[in-house]
Amino acid sequence: MPRLQTHEQKRKLRTSEAGCGESRTPRFNREVPRIILGIDSTEVVGGLTAYELKKFEQERSEIYIYDLAVAAAHRRQGIATALIQKLKEVAAAYGAYVIFVQADIGDDPAIKLYTKLGAREDVLHFDIAVNSGNDNA
């Protein structure tokens, strides 16, 4: 697995992380996503977008990985794992309780990755249409 920000490797994969639209004080929050990019030399080879979701009933927050992508030519090289590891560092710095992510049934590479990194929870997901035309819902 590529280690981020190391100089010992032939492949110098590093990360750059920042919140979109931030001014002077970087802050991880639900309005401003945290973006982590995997950069190999000068080429962006992967990226991750995550949001902090503050809990109302508890004094803690959770981090939701909204999107994670690695360029096809760079997959199976540990880049997605390295991006998530970097997110873990950022999340810990902000005192987050957990990071969670969804995977679609049949997306075996994603399921394998997330199984390697965390505990699986089988939950139900519902999409609720904003403009369904059904006033009863």
Side-chain angles (χ1 to χ4, degrees), residues 1-2 4 13 38 45-48 65 68-70 74-87 109-110 113-114 116-117:
M1 170 180 77
L4 301 180
L13 179 70
V45 296
L48 178 152
I65 298 176
L68 173 62
V70 175
H74 297 276
R75 291 182 186 151
R76 309 283 309 147
Q77 298 176 28
I79 294 169
T81 299
L83 292 170
I84 292 172
Q85 293 297 348
K86 181 64 178 181
L87 180 62
L113 170 67
Y114 303 142
K116 175 179 78 170
L117 297 174

Side-chain angles (χ1 to χ4, degrees), residues 103-121:
D104 292 327
I105 294 172
D107 188 350
D108 295 336
I111 292 169
K112 183 176 178 181
L113 170 67
Y114 303 142
T115 299
K116 175 179 78 170
L117 297 174
R120 178 177 173 162
E121 290 188 30

Side-chain angles (χ1 to χ4, degrees), residues 19 36 49 51 58 69 72 79 85 120 135-136:
I36 299 174
T49 304
Y51 290 90
Q58 300 176 28
I79 294 169
Q85 293 297 348
R120 178 177 173 162
D135 291 335
N136 296 328

Side-chain angles (χ1 to χ4, degrees), residues 59-75:
E59 284 293 319
R60 69 179 195 194
S61 62
E62 299 175 343
I63 308 302
Y64 173 60
I65 298 176
Y66 177 73
D67 197 16
L68 173 62
V70 175
H74 297 276
R75 291 182 186 151

